[in-house]
């Protein structure tokens, strides 16, 4: 029963805050990053590499906090979403 | 100082409603209750009006007792008073008694300069209730509005009309229905939410309103729902979507001016 | 006069337990959670051991939204082809019924409601932005530019304690302090669950696995039954993930689901939810200063968790630490003294409880969970022993001692290394 990560994330409910990205990355730091470990660590595939360049999108984030630890280069600016926006587990 | 009302309805989050694969009926059991989304835009419109021109906002909902959380959330955004209209006799209302009851409440509370509604709800989506309230109160109305100004005792509103928009001027009192995404609703703040939870909402029953039982709830509803059917998903037939057909489709769409 | 006696940040297990403890003793309490309803952003594997909860909510077993009581507990080792499972079923579990599977999105709102009933003001859907400080003391919380004040702030923020870090009450988290937990909910009819796992309509099963089938990565996995779903997932230490560097966390859980001994258990089910959360892994060493002028730190935010691959606990520590902080605040209110000096009582209470005792007892557990052999070599060794012992293939049988030494040789292990490993594991677990 292998299920693609995008499909699995599709089962999870979100109320995305379109006006506030609760996590941001500094592209200039990522460019020089020796490991791009965030790509492996993020369970929601928010970090991807495209032609060697880091791409980040916050919409699928499940707010686990992993990338705030995984990035040891000081690129990730991490906050919680506001006003209950973001992931809403139905089971948890 | 403007007297402003917002009519709001608590609805099951449409994201949470699934179709039971076995019984084929709507499964709302897992659904979280939320404020009908355009009603949040209506509230934002009301708060913006208050910020600019001064005033007091009252949010009103007719619904079950648990709908108080919806009012409290909006009070966290800047609504001053929450009114929960709840009574067994209001249950089962279709759009006619809903509009009648809400209009009566507005009147009972001393009337308002402007009543904001959402364009329609996500759970029944008739869009009747706003215009219904206006008719019962005999006041002016503007539907599908995304911009509201107040000038010299008139509301200058911009409405969505298919493919265009129009700006019109209407007098007081007025009912204005606000479209989904008309604005970016502000977040509730902790301080306002605390004040709201401390203040609580005012509960209004029919003991207080004394509306004619024949005009409210199920009894007052002219609609008779005889049967409900779940429409099956259209059968997808991928073989019909050949590349040739695709090209034809695109050219027809261009011809008709649907795409450029 | 501050606005409240106590403000609790976070309505998870720890925060709600603290709020209930304080509000039921008459303190004015504000409990703020960033999700609406409270708990909708929380995730656990889901076995709740309720001894501590019973201290504040004696009727929890009949009132709380629980899934199934744990009737049997399994621990297993997975290799590429095999699984070795110990199935522990005891009348003691059945008679006591203190372990239950729970789903946090149902359980947490119930617990927050109990806090409200006890008299706390519960505000959902608000993210506290920072702590208010005055003369080196914590005096309240800040949100949208407004400050709400309290005699004491209880930080129950969970494993990603932004406020405590920002206020300098603890260091930012390091790799060795956390694991990444990834979880899925698999929907399945109660009938199928009960038939498949040999359960009644109320009983349930909890299994934990050591995934010996992943090369170069120490991962534990869990598999629990709910009423009409399965909770399953993996727990991988951040240190391991970084050292490995080539495996996506979202793929590891699929490797678990695909394992020949797991796949048949979820066959016919559908994925209903996917989620992830960090888990405290650092033990005693990661615990920050637990109190100071005007604040206490409880639950995951304080690092109170325990996982050794086979046991995964945190909710019970969260309850107990929340209760003890709550009791401390009640006494502080009696003396009208919320200074660091007085709040030291919280630490004393913790030291007298199993929270800090457990963490002290197992302070070296990371050496076991980080021991590569534990996850890759020893499951393989067990498999070889069992194959030698149980598989009739028309060859003369060997004694266990001989099997062991030939295994160790096959797997390139010195006997001494094996012996010291076993000695360490034995000492630390
Ligand atoms: C399956 C189903 C079928 C139905 N069929 C019919 C039918 O055929 N005919 C019929 O008349 N009714 C029907 N109803 C009932 C009816 O749609 C609603 O319950 C009615 O009371 C409100 O109409 P609406 O939700 O469409 O509101 P809309 O008219 O779409 O709502 C517009 C705005 O009015 C305000 N508003 C609406 N309801 C409330 C409220 N309770 N309190 C405060 N403000 C409110 C809000 O601002 C809202 O955005 C049906 C209901 C269901 C569930
Ligand atoms: C995959 C996995 C499996 C697990 N399995 C088990 C198990 O089987 N048994 C067990 O006992 N434990 C288990 N745990 C551990 C357990 O989940 C935690 O130890 C426990 O939830 C800790 O409780 P807490 O109250 O400290 O934190 P949490 O439950 O995380 O609560 C913290 C709360 O604070 C809120 N919050 C945070 N910051 C703010 C802010 N700034 N403003 C407002 N609110 C905020 C959060 O939204 C949240 O509601 C598991 C954990 C994981 C990840
Ligand atoms: S680990 Fe940090 S610096 Fe490196 S790519 Fe990821 S976000 Fe950028
Ligand atoms: S918090 Fe977790 S899910 Fe969100 S981007 Fe970071 S690692 Fe990914």
């Amino acid at each position: 029963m292998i299920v693609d990560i995008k499909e699995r994330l599709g089962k999870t409910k979100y109320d995305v805050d379109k006006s506030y990205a609760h996590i941001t990355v500094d592209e200039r730091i990522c460019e020089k990053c020796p490991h791009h470990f965030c790509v492996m660590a993020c369970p929601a595939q928010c970090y991807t590499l495209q032609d060697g360049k880091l791409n980040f999108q916050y919409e699928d984030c499940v707010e686990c906090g992993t990338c705030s630890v995984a990035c040891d280069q000081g690129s990730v600016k991490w906050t919680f979403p506001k006003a209950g926006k973001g992931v809403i587990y139905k089971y948890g | 100082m403007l007297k402003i009302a917002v009519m709001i309805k608590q609805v099951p989050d449409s994201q949470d409603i699934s179709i039971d694969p076995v019984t084929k009926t709507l499964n709302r059991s897992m659904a979280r209750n939320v404020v009908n989304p355009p009603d949040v835009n209506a509230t934002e419109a009301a708060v913006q009006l208050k910020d600019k021109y001064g005033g007091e906002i009252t949010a009103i909902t007719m619904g079950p007792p648990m709908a108080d959380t919806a009012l409290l959330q909006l009070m966290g955004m800047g609504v001053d008073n929450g009114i929960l209209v709840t009574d067994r006799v209001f249950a089962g209302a279709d759009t006619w008694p809903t509009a009648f009851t809400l209009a009566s409440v507005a009147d009972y509370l001393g009337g308002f300069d402007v009543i904001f509604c959402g364009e329609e709800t996500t759970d029944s989506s008739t869009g009747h209730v706003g215009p219904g309230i206006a008719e019962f109160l005999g006041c002016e109305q503007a539907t599908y509005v995304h911009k509201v100004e107040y000038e010299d005792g008139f509301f200058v509103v911009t409405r969505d009309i298919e493919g265009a928009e129009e700006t019109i001027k209407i007098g007081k009192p007025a009912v204005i229905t606000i479209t989904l995404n008309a604005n970016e609703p502000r977040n509730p703040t902790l301080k306002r939410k605390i004040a709201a939870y401390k203040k609580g909402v005012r509960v209004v029953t029919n003991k207080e309103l004394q509306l004619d039982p024949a005009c409210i709830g199920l009894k007052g509803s002219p609609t008779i729902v005889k049967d409900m059917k779940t429409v099956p998903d259209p059968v997808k037939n991928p073989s019909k979507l050949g590349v040739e057909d695709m090209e034809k489709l695109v050219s027809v769409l261009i011809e008709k001016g649907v795409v450029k | 006069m501050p606005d409240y006696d106590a403000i609790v940040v976070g309505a998870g297990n720890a925060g709600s337990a603290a709020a209930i403890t304080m509000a039921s003793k008459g303190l004015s309490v504000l409990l703020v959670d960033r999700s609406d309803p409270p708990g909708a952003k929380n995730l656990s594997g889901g076995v709740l051991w309720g001894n501590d909860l019973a201290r504040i909510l004696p009727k929890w077993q009949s009132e709380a939204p629980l899934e199934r009581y744990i009737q049997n507990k399994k621990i297993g080792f997975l290799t590429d082809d095999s699984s070795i499972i110990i199935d522990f079923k005891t009348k003691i579990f059945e008679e006591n019924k203190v372990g239950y599977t729970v789903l946090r999105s149902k359980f947490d709102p119930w617990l927050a409601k109990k806090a409200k009933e006890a008299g706390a003001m519960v505000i959902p859907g608000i993210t506290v932005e920072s702590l208010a400080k005055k003369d080196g003391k914590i005096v309240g919380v800040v949100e949208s530019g407004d400050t709400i004040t309290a005699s004491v702030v209880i930080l129950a923020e969970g494993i990603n304690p932004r406020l405590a870090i920002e206020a300098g009450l603890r260091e930012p988290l390091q790799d060795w302090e956390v694991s990444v937990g990834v979880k899925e909910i698999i929907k399945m009819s109660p009938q199928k669950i009960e038939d498949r796992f040999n359960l009644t309509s109320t009983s349930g099963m909890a299994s934990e696995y050591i995934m010996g089938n992943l090369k170069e990565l120490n991962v534990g996995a869990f598999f629990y039954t709910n009423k009409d779903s399965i909770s399953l997932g993996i727990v991988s230490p951040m240190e391991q993930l970084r050292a490995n560097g080539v495996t996506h966390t979202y793929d590891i859980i699929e490797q678990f689901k695909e394992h020949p001994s797991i796949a048949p258990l979820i066959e016919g089910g559908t994925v209903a939810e996917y989620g992830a959360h960090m888990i405290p892994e650092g033990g005693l060493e990661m615990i920050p200063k637990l109190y100071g002028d005007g604040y206490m730190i409880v639950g995951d935010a304080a690092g109170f968790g325990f996982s050794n691959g086979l046991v995964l606990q945190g909710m019970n520590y969260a309850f107990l630490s929340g209760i003890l902080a709550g009791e401390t605040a009640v006494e502080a209110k009696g003396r009208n003294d919320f200074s660091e000096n007085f709040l030291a009582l919280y630490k004393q209470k913790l030291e007298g409880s199993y929270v800090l005792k457990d963490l002290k007892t197992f302070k070296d557990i990371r050496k076991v969970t980080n021991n590569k052999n534990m996850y890759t070599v020893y499951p393989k060794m067990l498999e070889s022993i069992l194959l030698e012992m149980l598989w009739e293939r028309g060859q003369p049988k060997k004694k266990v001692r001989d099997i062991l030494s030939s295994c160790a040789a096959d797997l390139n292990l010195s006997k001494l290394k094996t012996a010291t490993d076993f000695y360490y594991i034995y000492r630390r677990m």
Side-chain angles (χ1 to χ4, degrees):
Chain A
M1 196 170 77
I2 284 268
V3 188
D4 180 71
I5 178 63
K6 283 291 175 229
E7 194 181 320
R8 281 182 274 160
L9 288 166
K11 306 283 181 183
T12 301
K13 183 180 160 183
Y14 299 89
D15 178 5
V16 175
D17 191 341
K18 294 186 193 82
S19 59
Y20 178 62
H22 63 286
I23 301 173
T24 53
V25 297
D26 185 335
E27 278 178 23
R28 287 163 308 173
I29 299 180
C30 297
E31 221 167 86
K32 300 199 189 80
C33 178
H35 52 63
H36 302 111
F37 176 45
C38 54
V39 176
M40 296 298 145
C42 173
Q45 208 180 45
C46 294
Y47 296 82
T48 46
L49 276 177
Q50 275 158 15
D51 307 321
K53 196 171 169 289
L54 187 86
N55 189 44
F56 173 73
Q57 54 92 9
Y58 70 96
E59 287 85 350
D60 284 338
C61 170
V62 292
E63 300 156 34
C64 66
T66 298
C67 57
S68 74
V69 184
C71 177
D72 55 5
Q73 309 287 308
S75 172
V76 171
K77 197 172 156 288
W78 208 102
T79 63
F80 282 121
K82 297 175 185 171
K85 300 270 173 49
V87 72
I88 302 170
Y89 289 129
K90 287 194 270 186
Y91 302 88
Chain B
M1 205 184 81
L2 287 167
K3 269 194 86 184
I4 306 166
V6 193
M7 300 293 176
I8 66 113
K9 185 180 181 185
Q10 196 176 48
V11 296
D13 193 335
S14 49
Q15 270 197 72
D16 291 345
I17 298 173
S18 55
I19 295 177
D20 189 307
V22 184
T23 61
K24 303 281 176 213
T25 54
L26 289 181
N27 180 2
R28 302 169 187 234
S29 64
M30 290 289 289
R32 177 175 85 125
N33 290 314
V34 295
V35 178
N36 179 44
D39 300 359
V40 185
N41 296 108
T43 306
E44 175 61 30
V47 179
Q48 284 180 9
L49 207 61
K50 171 181 148 177
D51 284 352
K52 235 169 156 174
Y53 306 103
E56 187 182 46
I57 307 174
T58 303
I60 305 171
T61 189
M62 181 178 93
M66 62 174 186
D68 62 346
T69 50
L71 293 169
L72 292 169
Q73 182 193 329
L74 301 178
M75 287 164 78
M77 281 171 65
V79 166
D80 301 286
N81 315 299
I83 309 286
L84 174 63
V85 184
T86 188
D87 199 317
R88 284 211 110 81
V89 294
F90 297 134
D94 69 8
T95 59
W96 197 94
T98 302
F100 172 72
T101 309
L102 293 172
S104 307
V105 173
D107 191 45
Y108 176 77
L109 295 172
F112 293 93
D113 295 317
V114 55
I115 297 176
F116 286 101
C117 289
E119 56 174 323
E120 61 178 46
T121 59
T122 50
D123 69 336
S124 309
S125 41
T126 64
H128 291 176
V129 174
I133 294 171
E135 288 305 311
F136 279 116
L137 291 173
C139 62
E140 303 203 17
Q141 59 169 298
T143 50
Y144 306 105
V145 168
H146 65 264
K147 194 167 163 235
V148 184
E149 292 295 341
Y150 180 62
E151 286 167 14
D152 312 321
F154 287 89
F155 295 101
V156 180
V157 300
T158 307
R159 305 180 61 221
D160 291 343
I161 51 175
E162 251 159 72
E165 56 177 46
E166 68 173 11
T167 302
I168 58 169
K169 201 166 162 181
I170 58 172
K172 282 194 294 193
V175 171
I176 300 173
T177 79
I178 301 290
T179 52
L180 179 67
N181 300 332
N183 46 36
E184 238 177 57
R186 70 198 63 197
N187 289 330
T189 71
L190 178 57
K191 196 174 169 195
R192 286 212 194 91
K193 261 192 154 170
I194 291 173
Y197 277 69
K198 275 196 180 143
K199 184 170 185 183
V201 304
R202 174 171 163 201
V203 176
V204 175
T205 64
N206 201 38
K207 273 208 188 71
E208 206 177 318
L209 287 172
Q210 294 289 332
L211 301 180
D212 180 352
C215 297
I216 54 175
L218 192 61
K219 261 198 196 154
S221 298
T223 318
I224 299 162
V225 180
K226 276 177 73 180
D227 190 15
M228 266 206 304
K229 285 203 177 78
T230 308
V231 183
D233 277 345
V235 182
K236 292 195 184 89
N237 190 346
S239 67
K240 276 198 169 168
L241 279 176
V243 175
E244 292 165 15
D245 298 323
M246 209 48 151
E247 279 170 356
K248 213 163 116 196
L249 184 69
V250 171
S251 61
V252 173
L253 288 175
I254 292 171
E255 222 169 82
K256 302 245 174 196
V258 181
V259 293
K260 279 181 201 137
Chain C
M1 265 290 277
D3 300 323
Y4 291 90
D5 290 329
I7 295 176
V8 183
V9 182
N13 303 301
S16 288
I20 292 169
T21 307
M22 295 185 289
S24 59
K25 286 282 186 313
L27 268 60
S28 64
V29 178
L30 174 68
L31 173 61
V32 189
D33 196 83
R34 65 191 188 88
S35 89
D36 187 2
K41 290 171 176 291
N42 298 345
L43 180 149
S44 285
V47 181
L48 183 154
W49 298 96
N51 291 315
D52 306 299
L53 191 57
R55 270 171 76 158
I56 44 170
L57 298 167
K59 285 190 280 189
W60 70 280
Q61 279 150 313
S62 58
E63 290 181 2
L66 304 168
E67 295 295 316
R68 291 170 182 272
Y69 83 85
I70 303 304
Q71 169 196 295
N72 61 326
K73 174 115 197 185
K74 296 179 190 175
I75 52 178
F77 298 86
L78 304 180
T79 66
D80 286 335
D81 307 314
S82 319
S83 63
I84 301 146
I85 289 169
I86 301 168
D87 187 345
F88 182 58
K89 195 169 172 175
T90 159
K91 259 184 99 170
I92 298 171
F93 280 178
E94 224 172 303
E95 283 162 4
N96 290 288
K97 296 200 178 72
V98 288
Y100 284 84
T101 46
V102 294
L103 295 167
R104 297 290 301 275
S105 289
K106 296 180 184 169
F107 183 81
D108 288 25
W110 172 81
L111 199 59
K113 200 177 91 210
K114 288 287 163 192
K116 190 177 164 203
E117 285 168 17
M121 174 168 287
V122 183
I123 304 282
I126 294 283
T127 304
V128 172
E129 285 159 8
S130 60
L131 296 174
K133 272 192 192 171
K134 203 179 159 195
D135 309 326
K137 287 187 195 140
I138 302 297
V139 294
V141 299
V142 182
E143 197 274 339
S144 297
D146 301 317
T147 302
I148 316 290
T149 57
S151 301
V152 64
V153 176
I154 296 186
L155 293 166
E157 317 168 66
I159 181 63
N160 191 6
R162 312 305 303 178
L163 301 183
I165 293 172
E166 194 225 43
L169 307 181
R170 74 153 298 137
E171 294 294 310
L173 293 165
Q174 309 273 318
D175 281 4
W176 60 270
E177 293 176 298
V178 293
S179 280
V180 183
V182 184
K183 179 184 176 183
E184 285 179 23
I185 296 283
I186 312 282
K187 267 278 177 200
M188 202 179 277
S189 75
Q191 193 59 48
K192 201 174 249 171
I193 291 174
E194 285 147 27
D195 292 349
R196 196 168 280 180
F197 302 102
N198 199 10
L199 302 168
T200 68
S201 61
T202 54
S203 68
M205 175 280 282
S207 322
E208 265 97 15
Y209 297 91
I210 288 208
M211 288 181 68
N213 55 331
L214 299 174
K215 308 289 169 284
E216 304 298 319
L217 205 54
N218 296 5
V219 175
F222 58 88
F223 189 110
Y224 307 141
T225 54
N226 304 315
K227 274 188 190 132
D228 60 358
S229 62
I230 306 275
S231 289
L232 61 77
I234 58 105
V235 178
S236 181
M238 190 80 81
E239 271 182 322
Q240 296 278 326
L241 283 168
R242 191 185 297 272
N244 168 285
V246 293
T247 312
H248 290 286
T249 43
Y250 52 78
D251 285 336
I252 301 175
I253 185 169
E254 294 304 280
Q255 278 171 279
F256 176 57
K257 284 162 68 187
E258 259 183 279
H259 189 274
S261 73
I262 302 299
L265 302 180
I266 52 173
E267 212 218 288
T270 51
V271 179
E273 188 169 88
Y274 176 86
H277 204 86
M278 289 195 293
I279 298 172
E281 180 78 20
L284 202 58
E285 286 166 68
M286 83 178 280
I287 295 175
K289 188 158 163 283
L290 292 165
Y291 61 92
D293 281 326
Y295 78 91
M296 289 180 268
I297 307 181
V298 297
D300 271 10
F304 296 149
F306 179 68
S307 85
N308 65 3
L310 295 178
V311 176
L312 186 57
Q313 284 179 10
M315 288 192 270
N316 51 337
Y317 295 114
F319 290 134
L320 187 53
S321 58
I323 292 169
L324 297 178
E327 287 175 2
T328 305
V330 171
E331 289 181 48
K333 165 85 179 169
R335 300 279 198 89
N336 197 21
D337 181 0
F338 292 91
S339 67
E340 170 161 352
N341 248 339
F342 190 85
L343 298 181
L345 180 62
Y346 168 50
K347 176 106 187 274
Q348 285 167 25
K349 283 176 188 272
L350 282 168
E351 272 167 352
S353 78
Y354 73 92
V355 178
L356 283 182
K357 285 191 178 144
D358 275 9
L359 287 169
K360 281 193 179 132
T361 311
F362 297 109
K363 68 179 189 316
D364 289 328
I365 196 71
R366 273 191 324 115
K367 296 198 179 123
V368 177
T369 48
N370 271 334
N371 184 326
K372 283 243 157 42
N373 293 344
M374 166 94 174
Y375 285 78
T376 46
V377 179
Y378 298 133
K380 192 97 196 113
M381 208 154 152
L382 261 174
E383 180 189 39
S384 311
I385 294 169
L386 290 170
L387 277 176
E388 280 293 345
M389 282 168 60
L390 305 176
W391 187 19
E392 182 50 61
R393 48 180 163 180
Q395 282 173 11
K397 292 197 170 36
K398 293 186 206 158
K399 277 192 173 163
V400 171
R401 196 192 58 203
D402 299 331
I403 302 172
L404 261 178
S405 53
S406 74
C407 276
D410 282 355
L411 295 164
N412 253 337
L413 272 186
S414 84
K415 269 192 208 153
L416 181 65
K417 171 79 180 116
T418 316
T420 48
D421 267 1
F422 277 123
Y423 176 70
Y424 273 116
I425 292 170
Y426 170 74
R427 282 280 305 269
R428 286 175 179 129
M429 285 184 91

